[in-house]
Amino acid sequence: MKPAWAWAWAWAWIALAALASVPAARAASVEIHPAGTAVPENLLRLELRFDRPQPLPFDVERLKLLDGDGLEIRHALLDMALPDAEGRRITVLLDPGRVKTGVGPNLEAGRALTQGSTVSLSVAAAKTGAEADAQTDESPVVKTWHVTAAVSHPLQPALWQLSSPRRGTRDELSVDLRTPISSVGERLIAVLDGRGRRVDGVATLADGDATWRFKPSRPWATGRHRLVTHPELEDPAGNRSCAAFEATNLSASRCDGATLDFTPKDAR
């Protein structure tokens, strides 16, 4: 019969082996928008898309906006976040007072981003809830952009180019938006059939948020269809189709959205 100390050592080795065999919990992955490689100097909106719900209220301290030297750009982000109902999509705004020229914060500190520079967003893992108790890889996710000139003109849906799908198929409708839209705008574009009914399907953004794609749930019917936009559709700088974010009197311009017609082509 083994002595007590031998059994103790055996159980200790079993416990260590069990711990070693348990993989560390995977930190939530995140997709950062704007998805392209560049952002305008007057960037207004960022969006985080997590693969699972995040602890709410979302802790903005998890986010750091960094300059090209890796130093934090102070007071760039609003100290609040706008989550969706599931806590998987989080919208964060840059301080609008710094973005919009001629107002107090902008006059005092200027824009957080400067044309020609490089800027990065660092997103740290959650520190509360189940993820705080697990062994997670806490390396932050970082996305880097080149900062381009400010975009201070309204959205121009009239310039969008539609690639008509084939009727009788479930081909994707592809819309070249010419410039990126805000990632939340993915859901602010819809397709109507010839009777004005919304066509069911799945919408996605591609090409750095500059292409909108729609795959219908059912084959395309014959006849004229319409692509319609919600009045609140914006680009990443907050410009809408009725007015730019820099406009001094937005109330004078009513946003009704835009409409573009297309007809599914013959299948060949």
Side-chain angles (χ1 to χ4, degrees):
M1 181 175 182
K2 291 185 179 180
W5 64 265
W7 284 110
W9 274 107
W11 281 112
W13 278 109
I14 291 172
L16 287 173
L19 287 173
S21 66
V22 176
R26 180 180 62 83
S29 64
V30 59
E31 181 182 305
I32 302 174
H33 291 257
T37 59
V39 291
E41 183 182 75
N42 58 339
L43 176 69
L44 179 64
R45 187 192 302 270
L46 299 165
E47 189 192 19
L48 312 175
R49 297 186 182 185
F50 291 92
D51 65 345
R52 59 178 179 265
Q54 296 298 287
L56 298 178
F58 185 84
D59 184 6
V60 181
E61 291 297 320
R62 293 172 58 185
L63 311 179
K64 303 294 181 186
L65 198 62
L66 309 173
D67 63 18
D69 295 322
L71 301 176
E72 184 178 1
I73 304 173
R74 304 289 294 175
H75 309 300
L77 305 175
L78 283 186
D79 188 20
M80 63 177 295
L82 306 173
D84 68 357
E86 296 181 347
R88 295 179 61 178
R89 290 191 177 195
I90 311 292
T91 299
V92 180
L93 299 179
L94 278 74
D95 184 348
R98 291 189 64 179
V99 173
K100 193 164 187 174
T101 57
V103 299
N106 177 269
L107 294 174
E108 294 172 6
R111 285 175 172 156
L113 310 186
T114 304
Q115 181 183 355
S117 65
T118 298
V119 65
S120 301
L121 182 70
S122 172
V123 183
K127 295 295 185 181
T128 59
E131 291 183 354
D133 299 328
Q135 302 177 38
T136 59
D137 178 5
E138 296 190 0
S139 298
V141 177
V142 178
K143 181 168 178 59
T144 301
W145 301 278
H146 173 67
V147 182
T148 60
V151 178
S152 300
H153 56 74
L155 275 177
Q156 299 177 293
L159 299 180
W160 294 355
Q161 295 184 348
L162 284 69
S163 178
S164 293
R166 297 172 300 165
R167 63 182 178 87
T169 73
R170 295 182 60 236
D171 287 352
E172 281 189 338
L173 168 67
S174 180
V175 184
D176 180 357
L177 307 172
R178 315 297 287 175
T179 59
I181 61 171
S182 173
S183 59
V184 298
E186 174 185 77
R187 302 173 176 179
L188 299 180
I189 303 175
V191 177
L192 305 182
D193 64 17
R195 300 175 64 180
R197 299 172 301 187
R198 184 163 185 164
V199 178
D200 291 331
V202 177
T204 56
L205 288 175
D207 303 324
D209 302 334
T211 299
W212 186 82
R213 292 174 177 167
F214 178 80
K215 189 172 185 63
S217 300
R218 297 181 179 181
W220 292 103
T222 59
R224 183 174 64 91
H225 288 63
R226 287 182 292 158
L227 183 78
V228 297
T229 68
H230 192 280
E232 294 182 1
L233 179 67
E234 298 179 348
D235 68 12
N239 302 309
R240 299 184 180 184
S241 60
C242 62
F245 180 72
E246 289 283 346
T248 57
N249 186 10
L250 290 176
S251 62
S253 301
R254 178 183 173 185
C255 278
D256 291 326
T259 300
L260 288 84
D261 293 343
F262 70 96
T263 301
K265 55 191 177 184
D266 292 338
R268 293 179 181 176

